Amino acid sequence: MPAIATLETALSALPGGYLLLDETHCVRFATARFYQLLHCEPLQCGQALPTSLLPAEMQPALLAGQAHASQQLYAGQLLDWLLTPLPDGTMLSIREDRQTFRNLIENSPDIISRYNPQLVCLYANSALGRYSPIPPALHVGLGIEERGLPAHVCDAFRHASSQVLASGKPVIFENQLNHHDKHYVFESRLFPETDEHGQVQSLLCIDRDISEEHAMRLWQADENRLLEMIANNRPMKEVMVWTCHMIESQIEGSMCSIMLLDDEGTHLHVAAGPSLPDEYKTQIDGVTIGASVGSCGTAAFTGEAVIVTNIQQHPYWADYAALASSHQLRSCWSYPINAHDGSVLGTFAIYFAHPCAPDNHSEYITLRTSHLMAIAIQQERRASQLFQLATQDALTGLYNRRHFMTLAEEACDNTLLLPKPLCMLMFDLDHFKQVNDRYGHAAGDDALRSFARILQDSLRAQDLVCRMGGEEFAALLTDTSAEDAMSAAQRICNLVAQTPVLSHGQSIPLTVSIGLARCAPGQALGDMMRQADKALYEAKNAGRNRVHIAQQP
């Protein structure tokens, strides 16, 4: 009996779990650790061993009374099992597979570390070496401030530790770190480790690198903001500049540009590039696209992405390498911005001051952004086309009557707040019906377009010019005296008479009659137009090809 008691005492002092069975496989003794490892209720002395308690692999050895060792998962825990025959029974030993556990910890991609309540490091696995200038083993024995960590990392860890020590509950927090010119974001989980009295003895910390997930969350927020800007019809320049800044915030060290293809589909023009040198943008603005014209010229020509990781060594950049080098541009990735029908609208390019290639995240967000830019550009062009249809005369490109009247009303109203002289010119092409009858309606259209060009070339950008209908035109000259308006009208009259219309090999003479009216203070637009119209008919009745000014009532 003393021998058995001595054996029980010795087994209870060992770290493993032990079970003694008699020759009939009934329980003689089991240590507390045995029950803890197997998560089972204590067995009664003399009770037959439940067959469900052991892994199936152990049963044949137990029945045969043979020694057997194996490694088995039990209740989610990896355990070492050892069956040892005794002269009067069997001993079953179990213990945690610590070496396998250590291998798992050491090869984990997460940083796993342990600290005492004073935040002195007790252990750190090898994953820490990917993010720290100090080898993991040298962290052991150092306090939080002694480990070369940034102050904000120490502050966040100290704050989380104080919460765990005070509450005895785990805490989850985020931390960020720069290492080797790369930005990392970690999700940190801090767990209390307690003794049998519930007192916290140490802290276990698991830091998971969530940089990609964090970047994707930021990207999705930025993408939603971009979609809002497009949906709210923000100015295209604002959308493009914001988009460049958005990508630059996502891809460290990047400088973005957006170039648009002209209507002829032959030249690229810089639409946005807030971080690129102004001189460089000036030099590449208007570049002709082609099969080997840098990254953007080639991407626009082929409709395919062009990734140049080293500008100085790539044949596409032979003619532009010196220019790029003078502005410290070393690599350029260019992606075509394609319309829904596959045609190229422009290019989205990303430059770097060092040779590099895109990773999966960079390529994904750049392709997504190029697609969103295509939507924005096409939407803006459709809106522009609709505006033109609503406001412009289709034949001449001048304002139509309706839009002209709206803008002219606003100009007249503004004179009440800020008095400035206004003058109205009314035009009528002389004997225009004869032009149509003699030369055909196509020639008549050419005559109308020719006269519209003369008006645009002869008047200022701030003047309002429209085709009222048929061969009748009007112009509101802002901030213009009657003398200056008369001079402009006479110049137009003379120029029309001196510029025959060329149409299908024919030279067609053309003249115009013009009526001029000054806007009296507070005068309504309609009254001024009627005065100009009356002066126009006076010019026609006087022999045409001349200017008449309306007399003030």
Side-chain angles (χ1 to χ4, degrees), residues 12-64:
S12 297
L14 294 176
Y18 297 89
L19 172 69
L20 295 177
L21 300 173
D22 61 20
E23 294 175 327
T24 63
H25 301 157
C26 290
V27 176
R28 291 168 52 191
F29 167 75
T31 64
R33 184 61 177 156
F34 178 85
Y35 297 124
Q36 290 175 355
L37 289 173
L38 294 189
H39 303 287
C40 65
E41 294 295 325
L43 302 171
Q44 299 296 321
C45 183
Q47 176 184 348
L49 180 69
T51 56
S52 60
L53 194 64
L54 302 183
E57 183 181 316
M58 303 294 294
Q59 296 290 348
L62 177 63
L63 295 175

Side-chain angles (χ1 to χ4, degrees), residues 56-349:
E57 183 181 316
M58 303 294 294
Q59 296 290 348
L62 177 63
L63 295 175
Q66 297 174 347
H68 184 77
S70 69
Q71 194 176 68
Q72 298 286 331
L73 275 172
Y74 193 96
Q77 190 173 19
L78 192 63
L79 300 176
D80 283 333
W81 299 73
L82 178 62
L83 194 67
T84 305
L86 299 175
D88 56 351
T90 308
M91 181 173 70
L92 180 66
S93 308
I94 52 173
R95 64 182 178 86
E96 297 163 300
D97 181 30
R98 296 185 180 275
Q99 184 57 46
T100 300
F101 178 73
R102 178 172 289 275
N103 288 339
L104 292 173
I105 294 296
E106 284 300 315
N107 290 288
S108 169
D110 299 335
I111 302 172
I112 301 175
S113 49
R114 178 176 278 123
Y115 306 87
N116 68 15
Q118 291 74 44
L119 306 188
V120 173
C121 182
L122 304 176
Y123 168 77
N125 71 341
S126 58
L128 180 60
R130 295 196 294 273
Y131 310 98
S132 171
I134 302 174
L138 297 185
H139 283 260
V140 176
L142 299 180
I144 188 70
E145 289 84 2
E146 302 172 307
R147 299 170 58 203
L149 300 172
H152 70 274
V153 173
C154 295
D155 290 343
F157 185 79
R158 189 183 298 104
H159 177 70
S161 299
S162 66
Q163 290 181 296
V164 175
L165 292 171
S167 67
K169 296 179 180 179
V171 169
I172 301 175
F173 61 102
E174 280 194 6
N175 227 326
Q176 302 190 27
L177 178 72
N178 291 321
H179 182 59
H180 287 168
D181 297 324
K182 188 172 181 181
H183 185 72
Y184 295 96
V185 180
F186 295 93
E187 179 187 74
S188 300
R189 295 173 178 265
L190 200 57
F191 300 92
E193 296 182 313
T194 59
D195 59 16
E196 64 273 14
H197 303 296
Q199 297 298 312
V200 177
Q201 298 298 302
S202 57
L203 302 172
L204 181 68
C205 186
I206 301 176
D207 300 299
R208 174 158 295 174
D209 182 356
I210 60 167
S211 303
E212 288 190 9
E213 296 93 327
H214 180 77
M216 188 58 68
R217 288 202 303 268
L218 292 178
W219 155 250
Q220 289 171 348
D222 284 345
E223 185 182 53
N224 289 338
R225 169 63 179 148
L226 178 57
L227 288 169
E228 287 178 7
M229 294 177 72
I230 295 172
N232 292 330
N233 294 314
R234 299 299 303 167
M236 199 63 203
K237 181 71 174 179
E238 178 187 341
V239 171
M240 289 184 172
V241 169
W242 192 89
T243 299
C244 288
H245 285 313
M246 177 186 77
I247 292 297
E248 289 167 356
S249 70
Q250 283 283 324
I251 305 176
E252 192 169 353
S254 64
M255 294 167 280
C256 299
S257 74
I258 297 173
M259 302 184 78
L260 297 180
L261 201 59
D262 61 12
D263 292 339
E264 291 74 29
T266 56
H267 296 82
L268 286 171
H269 295 278
V270 178
S275 300
L276 287 174
D278 290 338
E279 184 181 347
Y280 178 76
K281 289 184 288 187
T282 300
Q283 291 292 322
I284 65 171
D285 190 56
V287 64
T288 304
I289 68 173
S292 301
V293 184
S295 297
C296 292
T298 307
F301 183 78
T302 62
E304 301 290 339
V306 175
I307 308 299
V308 173
T309 58
N310 192 326
I311 287 174
Q312 297 302 310
Q313 298 178 2
H314 202 285
Y316 289 177
W317 282 82
D319 295 335
Y320 302 94
L323 173 64
S325 179
S326 67
H327 296 288
Q328 289 76 52
L329 302 175
R330 299 289 182 264
S331 60
C332 179
W333 318 334
S334 184
Y335 299 82
I337 301 173
N338 294 317
H340 61 86
D341 61 359
S343 61
V344 176
L345 302 171
T347 60
F348 188 84

